[in-house]
């Protein structure tokens, strides 16, 4: 069965803890360049307190230098310390296929929502792996719906280019990233209302996770972490046919 396009609005993380390492508080901040650092070749257990019992079905771990054979397991817990652990995903490969590096993402999609306040994310690197870095953790309940084929990515080059009088160019090197434009179609009223709440909650000032749809396993380039780029008015033909075009820009 094909996936639709997925949007995950991050739930607030009240407390984050780790069994070792430094900077665990940075997984609560939106900037993926602020990273948690674990000792080389060591297993990591991140404790997450969502502040209240919530329904979750998607976990994103991003901007990590995880080794090729690194695995992760998302577990529900009855406490921040990791009591009464229940595995939600089983131990699976962390890195999504297709990533060119040096940073990689992992996405765990549960088959059905789970209610919990506490989560434990266990990362197991390869033997001899370098110091593990994690730049972002997003936990939420996904919105998923079909979207039109004409949706697609657009590269963004933040470099500055100057035309030189000699006929060449001068460059001020900047990052190259992407944006993604998409159009939801055939939204029922309840779906349009939920999407409206997500958009008005985050605006274009709070990051979220977007996953492009497809028929196979999720690939690295299908995952976007960033902010909405611009908003257009939705178009409603009737209560079961709302069309809305949106776009977002990656944060790298």
């Amino acid at each position: 069965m094909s996936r639709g396009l997925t949007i995950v609005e991050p739930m607030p993380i009240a407390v984050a803890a780790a069994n070792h390492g430094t900077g665990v508080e940075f997984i609560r901040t939106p900037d993926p360049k602020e990273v948690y650092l674990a000792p080389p070749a060591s297993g990591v257990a991140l404790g997450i307190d969502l502040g209240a019992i919530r329904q979750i079905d998607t976990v994103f771990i991003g901007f990590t230098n995880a080794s090729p054979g690194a695995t992760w397991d998302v577990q529900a817990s009855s406490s921040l310390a990791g009591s009464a652990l229940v595995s939600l995903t089983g131990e699976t490969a962390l890195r999504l296929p297709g990533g060119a590096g040096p940073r990689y993402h992992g996405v765990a999609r549960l088959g059905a929502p789970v209610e919990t306040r506490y989560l434990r994310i266990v990362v197991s690197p390869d033997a001899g792996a370098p110091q593990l870095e994690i730049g972002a953790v997003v936990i939420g309940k996904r919105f998923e719906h079909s979207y039109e084929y004409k949706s697609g990515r657009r590269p963004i080059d933040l470099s500055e280019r100057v035309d030189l009088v000699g006929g060449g160019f001068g460059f001020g090197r900047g990052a190259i990233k992407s944006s993604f434009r998409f159009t939801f179609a055939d939204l029922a009223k309840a779906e349009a209302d939920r999407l409206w709440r997500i958009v008005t909650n985050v605006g274009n000032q709070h990051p979220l996770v977007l996953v492009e749809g497809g028929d196979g396993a999720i690939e690295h380039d299908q995952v976007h972490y960033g902010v909405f780029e611009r908003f257009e008015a939705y178009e409603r033909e009737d209560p079961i046919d709302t069309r809305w075009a949106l776009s977002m820009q990656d944060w790298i």
Side-chain angles (χ1 to χ4, degrees), residues 189-208:
K189 182 181 184 305
E191 294 171 317
D193 289 346
R194 185 181 172 202
L195 184 57
W196 176 263
R197 286 193 295 272
I198 292 173
V199 168
T200 53
N201 282 344
V202 303
N204 55 17
Q205 56 188 301
H206 299 291
L208 42 72

Side-chain angles (χ1 to χ4, degrees), residues 135-185:
V137 172
V138 171
I139 299 162
K141 188 176 181 183
R142 62 185 178 265
F143 174 89
E144 185 176 354
H145 193 76
S146 58
Y147 64 114
E148 296 181 354
Y149 276 109
K150 65 180 180 180
S151 303
R153 306 171 200 155
R154 178 175 66 90
I156 298 173
D157 188 346
L158 299 178
S159 303
E160 295 182 352
R161 189 188 74 189
V162 177
D163 296 339
L164 302 178
V165 295
F169 303 96
F171 299 99
R173 300 291 180 181
I176 300 175
K177 57 181 183 177
S178 68
S179 68
F180 185 73
R181 186 184 186 279
F182 57 96
T183 301
F184 285 123

Side-chain angles (χ1 to χ4, degrees), residues 86-100:
V86 177
S87 176
L88 303 178
T89 61
E91 191 173 358
T92 59
L94 193 158
R95 284 167 43 167
L96 292 171

